């Protein structure tokens, strides 16, 4: 196991309101990672090379990626660079929430990422850990509850995950595969569902723990 600190690149399209995420969702992720000794760099769509330059990706052991409404602005070149680093170099990839419709998510999994429905009513989300021995589940216990969530419901159009670490349930009994792992090429991928742009849920302690665990797993340090 390497003693070098993990290096993460935390990316956002930057459409999340400053009133909710003053430093962006990528800033919230980076803050959680730094607290655990992980070196986290932040980048956004408006940066040179869309914040996904060859140099920035080459430095990254893992890419955290949040996007919501500007998926179409991410170029095919940027997407191809991300895919190359996942597949050929083993960069980890952690798409968050609505990144399920992003170009890199769809391309790396060969799927639409579509969901059967959603509801934006600030309801609780109950996240059950279904694979407690998985490194991403470390320290999470049996379940955690997030105070305000946008509901997503199955079916979720993804290839069958190698491992489903977490499942969410919502007010009307809806369920969703909230934490899913795949391997593609040399890379490890972890999709994490929470993270709506107008809810502060990504500051919640269980989410911060998931980011750290996911960074370690996706970087192959555990
Ligand atoms: Zn959302």
């Amino acid at each position: 196991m390497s003693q070098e600190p993990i290096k993460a690149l935390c990316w956002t399209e930057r459409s999340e309101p400053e009133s909710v995420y003053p430093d962006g969702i990528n800033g919230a992720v980076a803050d959680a990672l730094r607290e655990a000794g992980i070196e986290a760099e932040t980048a956004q769509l408006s940066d040179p090379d869309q914040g996904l330059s060859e140099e920035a990706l080459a430095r990254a052991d893992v890419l955290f990626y949040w996007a919501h409404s500007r998926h179409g602005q991410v170029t095919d070149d940027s997407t191809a660079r991300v895919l190359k680093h996942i597949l050929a170099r083993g960069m980890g990839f952690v798409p968050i929430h609505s990144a399920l419709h992003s170009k890199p998510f769809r391309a790396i999994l060969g799927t639409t990422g579509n969901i059967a429905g959603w509801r934006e009513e600030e309801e609780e989300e109950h996240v059950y850990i279904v694979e407690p021995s998985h490194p991403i589940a470390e320290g999470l216990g049996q379940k955690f509850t997030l105070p305000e969530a946008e509901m997503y419901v199955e079916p979720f159009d993804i290839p069958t995950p190698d491992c489903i670490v977490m499942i969410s349930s919502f007010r009307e009994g809806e369920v969703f595969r909230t934490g899913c792992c795949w391997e593609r090429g040399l890379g490890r991928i972890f999709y994490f569902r929470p993270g709506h742009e107008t809810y502060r849920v990504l500051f919640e302690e269980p989410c911060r723990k998931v980011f750290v665990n996911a960074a370690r797993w996706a970087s192959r340090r555990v």
Side-chain angles (χ1 to χ4, degrees), residues 132-153:
S133 65
H134 195 281
I136 295 177
E138 193 183 317
L140 294 173
Q142 183 201 4
K143 68 167 285 199
F144 60 89
T145 298
L146 298 173
E148 46 179 14
E150 175 189 30
M151 183 277 290
Y152 283 3
V153 67

Side-chain angles (χ1 to χ4, degrees), residues 185-220:
L186 296 178
R188 286 180 171 177
I189 301 157
F190 177 66
Y191 171 77
F192 186 55
R193 196 211 81 84
H196 191 58
E197 63 274 13
T198 55
Y199 302 151
R200 293 176 51 85
V201 289
L202 296 183
F203 292 114
E204 295 285 322
E205 202 48 49
C207 293
R208 292 170 65 85
K209 200 178 288 280
V210 168
F211 296 146
V212 172
N213 292 348
R216 290 176 179 150
W217 176 79
S219 302
R220 296 188 180 277

Side-chain angles (χ1 to χ4, degrees), residues 24-222:
I25 281 180
N26 60 335
V29 173
D31 183 67
L33 297 179
R34 288 172 188 146
E35 193 180 82
I38 294 167
E39 289 182 9
E41 196 178 324
T42 56
Q44 60 185 36
L45 183 60
S46 59
D47 289 343
D49 288 326
Q50 304 200 306
L52 299 168
S53 68
E54 178 61 30
E55 296 73 23
L57 291 169
R59 283 192 295 273
D61 298 313
V62 55
L63 170 66
F64 285 78
Y65 189 109
W66 183 86
H68 164 59
S69 58
R70 299 176 186 165
H71 303 306
Q73 295 179 32
V74 174
T75 65
D76 291 344
D77 282 351
S78 295
T79 303
R81 282 194 299 275
V82 169
L83 259 64
K84 182 189 76 177
H85 280 271
I86 299 169
L87 294 169
R89 192 175 61 77
M91 179 183 73
F93 180 48
V94 183
I96 298 170
H97 188 65
S98 39
L100 50 71
H101 281 151
S102 67
K103 286 184 180 178
F105 181 91
R106 288 177 155 175
I108 197 77
L109 294 178
T111 188
T112 67
N114 286 345
I115 57 179
W118 62 90
R119 181 173 59 228
E120 196 179 338
E121 294 180 5
E122 296 180 31
E123 63 196 87
E124 285 189 334
E125 172 173 5
H126 303 282
V127 182
Y128 285 84
I129 312 307
V130 294
E131 200 66 55
S133 65
H134 195 281
I136 295 177
E138 193 183 317
L140 294 173
Q142 183 201 4
K143 68 167 285 199
F144 60 89
T145 298
L146 298 173
E148 46 179 14
E150 175 189 30
M151 183 277 290
Y152 283 3
V153 67
E154 297 273 352
F156 176 20
D157 182 24
I158 47 173
T160 301
D162 299 335
C163 182
I164 299 168
V165 182
M166 305 166 203
I167 291 174
S168 290
S169 71
F170 301 90
R171 194 179 69 205
E172 308 291 338
E174 298 93 347
V175 294
F176 197 81
R177 288 170 288 175
T178 271
C180 300
C181 299
W182 298 267
E183 299 211 10
R184 290 293 183 274
L186 296 178
R188 286 180 171 177
I189 301 157
F190 177 66
Y191 171 77
F192 186 55
R193 196 211 81 84
H196 191 58
E197 63 274 13
T198 55
Y199 302 151
R200 293 176 51 85
V201 289
L202 296 183
F203 292 114
E204 295 285 322
E205 202 48 49
C207 293
R208 292 170 65 85
K209 200 178 288 280
V210 168
F211 296 146
V212 172
N213 292 348
R216 290 176 179 150
W217 176 79
S219 302
R220 296 188 180 277
R221 301 299 180 95
V222 286

